[in-house]
Every structure is written in C-alpha cells, then in structure tokens.
Amino acid sequence: MGCGRQWSSKIWWLTVVANILFFLNGNAKGTVMGTNLPSAPGVKLLVEDHQVVLQNGIINVTLSAPDGLVTKISYNGLDNLLEVGNEDDDRGYWDVVWTKSKTLDYLKGASYKVEVENENQVEISFTKKWDASLNGKIVPLNVDKRFVMLRGSAGFYTYAVLEHAPGMPDLDIPEARVVFKLQHDKFHYMAVSDVKQRLMPQPVDRQTGQVLDFPEAVLLTKPVDPIFKGEVDDKYFYAGDNFDNRVYGWVCSDPTIGFWMITPSNEFRNGGPFKQDLTTHVGPTVLNMFVSTHYAGDELALQFTSGETWKKVFGPVFVYLNSDVKAKENPSLLWQDAKQRMLKEVEAWPYTFPSSKDFFKPNQRGTVGGQLQVLDKFTNKAPVPGVDAYVGLAAPGAAGSWQRESKGYQFWTKTDAKGNFVIKGIIPGKYSLYASVPGFIGDFKHSQDVTITPGSNVNLGNLVYKPPRNGPTLWEIGVPDRTTGEFFVPEPEPTLKVHVFTTGDGESGTYDDKFRQYGLWKRYNDLYPTSDLVYTVGVSNHTKDWFYAQVQRCKDKQTCIGTTWQIVFNLQELTASGNYTLQLALASASFAELQVRFNDRNAAPLFTAGLIGRDNAVARHGTHGLYWLFSIGVPSNLLVKGKNTIFLTQARNSDQFRGFMYDYIRFEAPATP
C-alpha cells in the first residue's frame, strides 16, 4: 500500500491536536535525534563493486562509484526512499546547467577517495579534473563532491567544491543545485513552511492534465485523487525567499518517514536574502538551489571569462530523516521535529567536521557587529533604530549590488528592536556592508569596506542610513518593503480551484496564499476591460484600488497592448522654484519599459527606464523579483495648482508576461531653505 493516501481530509483540522501532542512529548520519537552520540553504533563504510555504502545503524546511504550519485537511502524499514523506477543517475545527484544552450552536467566523479573513516565519521570525496581534451564535452570545472555521515545522526551531509581554474574557457552557469527524487507512491505530503503544507498530486496527474500558458503550469483534469480536480499545479507555488528556505520536505505515512532538506547557512546561495527560489515540487522532488536565475534573470548566472580563477564551497547541507508512528494521523508532527533539527544545525554552523581544506572552520572565520539607525530628516529630527533591517556582507560594490551577485559568499542577519546586529561565521576577505530597512526606500552601504581575518571581531559602532529624500511628502502609495504584497490581489479565475494549504504551526484551518494562484495577471482584463486603472490620491485605497502588477491588456497570449495607469492628485499650492520629486520603487520588472508623464499622456516622457528586468515574477506567482528605485525630478512647470495627473505607461507589448510590480510611490515637494 502506498503511503500518503491514507490521510483523508481530517488532516486539515487535526493539526492543532497533533502539535499539542508534539510539544507534550518533547519531540518526534522513533529516531535517534542526536549527533555523535557515544551510545550509538559507529559509522561504517562498505566498499562494493561500483558502489560504496555509508551506514550508522540508523540510515544506509548507497553511492555509485566513482560517479558519486545517490542511488539508495534505506531508513525505518523502507529499503529505498528514492524513486526505484528511475535510473541510478536520476535519483539523488548534484548538477549544473551550463552554457547558453543550457546543457545539463551531473558532475559525475572520475575517481573517489575516503577522506575520513572512523567510528564517528565517514567522509567520501568524488572528484573530477577538467582538461582541454574535455572541452565542449563536460562543464569546464574542477569538481569535488563530498558526502558525510556522522555517528548517531539521522541523516547525512553533502557539499561540493567547484573551481574554475586557469586555462578553462568562458563559462555561464545559470543553475547549480542538489536534487533528490523520492518514491512517488510513498511520499504524498509536502511541507515548506508552517502555513504551507498539503497533500500533493501525483506525477501522473500532470501527465494527464492540461498544460497552460507555460510548461510548469498544468491544470489537473483527471487526477488520481478527485480532490485535486480543477487545481493548477506549478512548482513555483512552493518557492520562497532564500532567507526563509531553511527546511522543507515530504512525509510518508506507512511507514511514517519524513525526508527533509536542511540548509544551515545561506552564505553560499546567490542573490542575497530576498532572492526567491524553488524548494520542492510534484515528483516528489526535493531541491536545494545554490545558483539560479529564478525571479531575477540571466544576470544572476555565474559568468566566467576564459582563464578566470574562482573557487567556492556549496554547503554542507543536511538531509534529515525522522519518524513517529503518531504522524500517520498528522504528518505535521514530523515537520515540527524537522524545524527543531534545523535550529540545531543553524546553531552548529559553521561546522567543525568537514575535512576539505576549502571549508573554513569556526576558528578561521570572523565576526562583525554594530548598530544601524535611520535618519530621514523630513520625518524625524534624530536618527531612529533600523528595526528588523536586513544587514549583510557581500562582495564590494555599489549599494544594492548584492542582489545581482553570485560568485562570492554573502552573510546576512536581521537587526533587533534597537537596530543592533551581529554577523558571525564570516569567511576571511574584503566585503562591503549593506542593509535594507523595512519602511524606507533604497539601499544602505557603509562608507568603508570591511576586512575579515581569522578570529577577527569588528565593531562598526553606530551606522546611520539616510534614505533617498529631496523634500517633504505630499502623498504616497504603498509601503516600502521591496514587495507588492500590500496591493490588491484578485481571486483566481472562477473556473480554477483555489490552491489551498494546511497550516502546520499549531493553528487550525487552512491557508490561502493569495499570490500563489495561477493566472492572476489575466484578471486585469476582467477588471479593466476597456480602460486602465485610475488612482485618486485621498480617495482611493491602495489595498483595494491598486492592482498588484501593471500588466498588459491581452486578447490572447501574443496579442497585447501596453497599459497606462493614472494617478490623480491635487496641489493646493504650487512652488515655482525647485523641482518636485517622484520616488518610484519597483518590486519586479519583466521585459518592460516604464514611462512617466505629467498632465499630458501624449507628450514625450519625462522619464523612461528603458527596457528593464527579466525576473518573470508575475508568471511565477511572486511578490517580488529584483528591486529598482528611480528618483525622478519633476520641474514645477509641468504641474498646475489644483488637479494633476501622472501617467505611468508600460510601453512594451509583445506578450502577456511583460510588466512590473510596484513597491512604493512617493511624491515630494521641493525642499524649503
């Protein structure tokens, strides 16, 4: 009997009871929770023909040799958690997509070596060296993949050291990841956060469904389980911000097994804390995306010129397994335990056990601390704490450059209620210190770069961010938080079933993620069939009257026209000297052009952004992609006393996904002497 399908609709309300039981019992039982437990059996390595097996009495992991592919994971009476119907090279593997033709390389090893073998730890390295004779055949990288098993640990670790060395040709890598494909007839319940958990469709449901506007989105027309009929399945429904993508996975009910991907640090992921990426999807497939262009575009790809030197350690990440017979009724029990294990792994970072000399141990790293304050002279005379700000170290560059950076390491944290921050475990090097503060536009960059040496503890003291501002606020639309989340989001098309999640955080009921629904952009046509959005300052409400994305009006997929939105406002007084300022922040842009005009929609634009953005966040159901800020000076002769109108035009019109999302708009008067 397959797992998962034993769960009925009662899982929607059993969450509360199960979570109470979880906390009463302390944690999920039925597995060894500790690491390096003296009483646990020692770790063993079995070397067989063309494979090696790591085992510690809790879990067995089989790897092909010398390829270094994970072909089998045995746990809790289940011989193989991975999809046995797949070939050995399509179960558990590292891979990269490389060159503009997007060739897939599984980073198979050419040889392997046992780096550590004792009762407490086994670590195996699978390596491949590139040379000119391989040009065009495999990705031009030196590869060192590692797998580690520890005593008493209910799981295993994996990491990779990738190197672009002298003599290697030009190289683009838009994607680097590790992938695990679980048994499709065993794992049916997925959890990616406290409020995003659910039974999932089966792979065959996608095969029998109807492909919609892009291949990832499939309308389920003949699902095995009728509860899914009328739903749309799309892997981007389950994406999340890197800062939050710390643990996610799948659960089986018979036997009760949870399979979890735990990422203890984001230092090796690209694009910074707000970068959105895939986690897991129907398959069942579990991913860990280290490099991708998702929600960003090609500029986030790793790009190397011929002979450019680069080396980076990706991971370790932890594949964690757990079990509890009580989870047969409610799988969120195992989610709660996985969250606790994630916190332990985060606390243990940086790890001490990896044997690669390229992985920096705790005593080889440094710390940075300080206090961030914000001074907006038109709202506060004195600096105020930068509360809940994201503060990070990344490669030196301009303010905000971190969101387009992929080659180096990034280290991020959040400030407390007083603006204090501490960033630990920083790899030695030269960095810029950046910050983004909710409630304020723009990006902060410290005036001086920060140099980290082994054991250093740098106190930056009091830092003051002065966000862009040229004059007092006359009016504003939205909230400056780098997302479009506060604006109006329509219901999905009536013909589609709303995509609903189960809550697994101790609250009963369900959760409807208003953005993770298919086809929301199409509702603009329904709401504005003949004319575009008009927003009147002082009358309209941005949560009801400002559509979440400025998209096009389309008759079909390819027949679209650009749209022009209007902001109508009154000026009681007109200052003839000095410029007014329109502060305009975008949360996303996809092959779009923003043009701004004042009081004459047929005039030459006062401002045009040109063709910008490739983040595709509208089609991928996101609240944001890359952040854009434009400070537009507005000469007073373009304005009049009384009624004024701003025309915001999206001028590109070739297909339905071109457009942008606004974060925040503010109109400022000229500063008075």
Side-chain angles (χ1 to χ4, degrees):
M1 179 182 296
C3 306
R5 296 302 161 191
Q6 296 185 18
W7 295 314
S8 67
S9 60
K10 64 184 177 180
I11 62 173
W12 301 92
W13 60 266
L14 277 174
T15 301
V16 175
V17 175
N19 280 290
I20 292 173
L21 289 172
F22 172 82
F23 287 109
L24 289 176
N25 284 282
N27 56 34
K29 307 299 181 183
T31 188
V32 180
M33 300 299 296
T35 301
N36 293 328
L37 299 178
S39 59
V43 187
K44 295 181 180 180
L45 174 66
L46 304 179
V47 179
E48 303 173 352
D49 290 341
H50 305 297
Q51 66 180 27
V52 294
V53 182
L54 287 67
Q55 53 185 219
N56 63 4
I58 303 171
I59 175 177
N60 292 354
V61 178
T62 302
L63 303 159
S64 63
D67 295 340
L69 303 171
V70 185
T71 61
K72 186 176 182 179
I73 300 174
S74 303
Y75 174 76
N76 195 35
L78 191 58
D79 183 60
N80 196 353
L81 278 61
L82 302 180
E83 182 53 76
V84 294
N86 289 1
E87 297 295 329
D88 284 356
D89 61 358
D90 192 28
R91 297 179 182 180
Y93 53 88
W94 286 76
D95 69 18
V96 298
V97 175
W98 63 291
T99 74
K100 289 183 171 56
S101 63
K102 296 188 176 181
T103 303
L104 190 66
D105 191 303
Y106 287 94
L107 302 180
K108 294 181 180 180
S111 62
Y112 76 96
K113 178 183 178 183
V114 179
E115 300 285 352
V116 178
E117 185 180 9
N118 57 53
E119 289 188 342
N120 293 319
Q121 176 178 343
V122 169
E123 180 167 345
I124 304 180
S125 166
F126 298 86
T127 59
K128 176 176 61 178
K129 292 290 186 180
W130 186 90
D131 62 58
S133 67
L134 300 171
N135 193 20
K137 299 177 181 177
I138 64 172
V139 61
L141 290 172
N142 292 331
V143 177
D144 181 0
K145 292 187 301 184
R146 303 287 183 108
F147 294 87
V148 184
M149 183 173 286
L150 302 180
R151 185 173 192 166
S153 179
F156 64 96
Y157 300 84
T158 184
Y159 65 106
V161 184
L162 304 183
E163 180 184 26
H164 190 263
M168 292 184 177
D170 292 352
L171 174 63
D172 286 0
I173 299 179
E175 190 171 286
R177 62 184 186 170
V178 64
V179 182
F180 292 94
K181 297 182 178 180
L182 308 179
Q183 284 206 42
H184 74 276
D185 61 346
K186 292 292 185 182
F187 291 85
H188 295 290
Y189 188 90
M190 185 192 71
V192 296
S193 75
D194 280 335
V195 295
K196 296 178 73 171
Q197 305 180 23
R198 72 193 309 261
L199 282 170
M200 291 289 286
Q202 297 191 46
V204 68
D205 297 341
R206 290 181 56 86
Q207 297 168 12
T208 60
Q210 175 188 347
V211 176
L212 299 175
D213 291 298
F214 41 88
E216 294 88 348
V218 175
L219 176 64
L220 305 182
T221 57
K222 300 177 182 178
V224 174
D225 189 330
I227 67 170
F228 298 113
K229 187 174 183 179
E231 274 194 8
V232 175
D233 179 69
D234 186 338
K235 64 183 180 181
Y236 290 102
F237 286 157
Y238 316 111
D241 290 1
N242 276 345
F243 195 85
D244 302 319
N245 288 345
R246 293 296 183 93
V247 56
Y248 44 85
W250 291 73
V251 179
C252 168
S253 69
D254 187 17
T256 53
I257 295 174
F259 185 104
W260 308 100
M261 176 63 70
I262 293 179
T263 307
S265 170
N266 285 310
E267 67 183 44
F268 37 77
R269 286 172 164 167
N270 71 329
F274 306 116
K275 170 74 168 61
Q276 291 188 90
D277 228 321
L278 299 174
T279 56
T280 178
H281 57 78
V282 166
T285 300
V286 179
L287 307 169
N288 203 317
M289 305 298 302
F290 304 112
V291 176
S292 90
T293 58
H294 299 142
Y295 298 95
D298 292 342
E299 58 188 315
L300 259 289
L302 282 169
Q303 299 177 350
F304 305 105
T305 57
S306 178
E308 180 179 352
T309 59
W310 169 87
K311 182 186 285 189
K312 189 173 182 179
V313 180
F314 294 93
V317 296
F318 184 43
V319 175
Y320 176 58
L321 307 178
N322 58 3
S323 180
D324 185 341
V325 293
K326 299 184 183 69
K328 186 182 293 291
E329 294 296 330
N330 189 327
S332 66
L333 279 173
L334 299 184
W335 161 256
Q336 293 291 344
D337 173 60
K339 282 202 308 178
Q340 296 302 312
R341 183 53 185 253
M342 176 271 291
L343 293 175
K344 292 180 181 180
E345 297 297 324
V346 170
E347 185 178 357
W349 186 271
Y351 296 136
T352 58
F353 62 79
S355 66
S356 171
K357 61 180 178 57
D358 294 306
F359 182 81
F360 287 82
K361 307 300 191 297
N363 62 355
Q364 297 174 303
R365 300 184 179 221
T367 301
V368 165
Q371 182 185 39
L372 179 65
Q373 295 183 307
V374 182
L375 178 60
D376 184 340
K377 61 183 179 181
F378 288 95
T379 59
N380 297 94
K381 293 183 179 180
V384 298
V387 181
D388 288 331
Y390 290 81
V391 181
L393 295 177
S401 60
W402 48 267
Q403 69 172 343
R404 293 175 169 84
E405 211 286 312
S406 293
K407 291 181 180 178
Y409 298 94
Q410 298 198 30
F411 304 87
W412 290 85
T413 191
K414 292 184 73 174
T415 59
D416 63 16
K418 296 182 179 179
N420 297 312
F421 65 90
V422 176
I423 305 174
K424 300 179 180 180
I426 307 165
I427 292 173
K430 184 178 180 180
Y431 302 90
S432 290
L433 184 130
Y434 305 97
S436 176
V437 188
F440 299 92
I441 61 174
D443 284 281
F444 171 77
K445 178 192 172 185
H446 186 35
S447 58
Q448 298 180 347
D449 287 338
V450 178
T451 299
I452 300 297
T453 57
S456 63
N457 191 343
V458 180
N459 185 353
L460 297 177
N462 185 32
L463 307 176
V464 179
Y465 173 45
K466 298 178 180 179
R469 166 80 75 169
N470 292 323
T473 300
L474 294 177
W475 51 262
E476 59 186 351
I477 301 173
V479 178
D481 61 359
R482 306 178 84 99
T483 82
T484 191
E486 69 272 23
F487 296 125
F488 173 71
V489 180
E491 292 295 321
E493 295 181 60
T495 57
L496 300 178
K497 189 175 180 180
V498 175
H499 197 81
V500 177
F501 295 94
T502 306
T503 58
D505 60 350
E507 298 181 3
S508 62
T510 60
Y511 171 67
D512 172 9
D513 188 330
K514 60 182 181 178
F515 276 94
R516 305 298 187 187
Q517 308 291 337
Y518 179 79
L520 298 178
W521 63 89
K522 297 182 179 183
R523 301 310 309 278
Y524 184 80
N525 278 15
D526 300 331
L527 295 171
Y528 302 94
T530 58
S531 60
D532 287 322
L533 181 150
V534 178
Y535 186 96
T536 302
V537 174
V539 177
S540 302
N541 183 321
H542 70 264
T543 64
K544 299 178 181 179
D545 303 315
W546 190 272
F547 199 76
Y548 81 101
Q550 185 168 356
V551 291
Q552 300 173 90
R553 186 177 295 104
C554 299
K555 294 181 180 179
D556 53 50
K557 294 181 182 180
Q558 301 300 327
T559 307
C560 302
I561 59 173
T563 53
T564 297
W565 290 8
Q566 299 178 44
I567 303 174
V568 179
F569 65 98
N570 279 288
L571 280 180
Q572 294 182 350
E573 301 292 336
L574 179 63
T575 303
S577 60
N579 280 351
Y580 289 74
T581 303
L582 183 68
Q583 303 282 9
L584 197 154
L586 298 179
S588 165
S590 298
F591 298 94
E593 179 182 355
L594 172 65
Q595 296 178 353
V596 180
R597 296 172 174 85
F598 279 77
N599 288 326
D600 184 353
R601 69 182 303 159
N602 297 315
L606 171 66
F607 169 83
T608 178
L611 181 63
I612 59 171
R614 295 190 174 191
D615 59 43
N616 214 19
V618 171
R620 289 172 172 170
H621 332 290
T623 62
H624 63 280
L626 295 182
Y627 178 77
W628 305 78
L629 176 64
F630 304 106
S631 296
I632 304 167
V634 183
S636 58
N637 65 348
L638 295 181
L639 302 168
V640 297
K641 185 177 179 179
K643 180 180 177 181
N644 291 265
T645 303
I646 299 175
F647 298 95
L648 303 175
T649 299
Q650 198 300 97
R652 306 293 176 125
N653 58 6
S654 63
D655 65 71
Q656 63 179 322
F657 297 121
R658 290 179 182 253
F660 33 76
M661 301 178 182
Y662 294 92
D663 168 37
Y664 175 74
I665 301 174
R666 184 173 71 218
F667 195 58
E668 300 171 357
T672 56

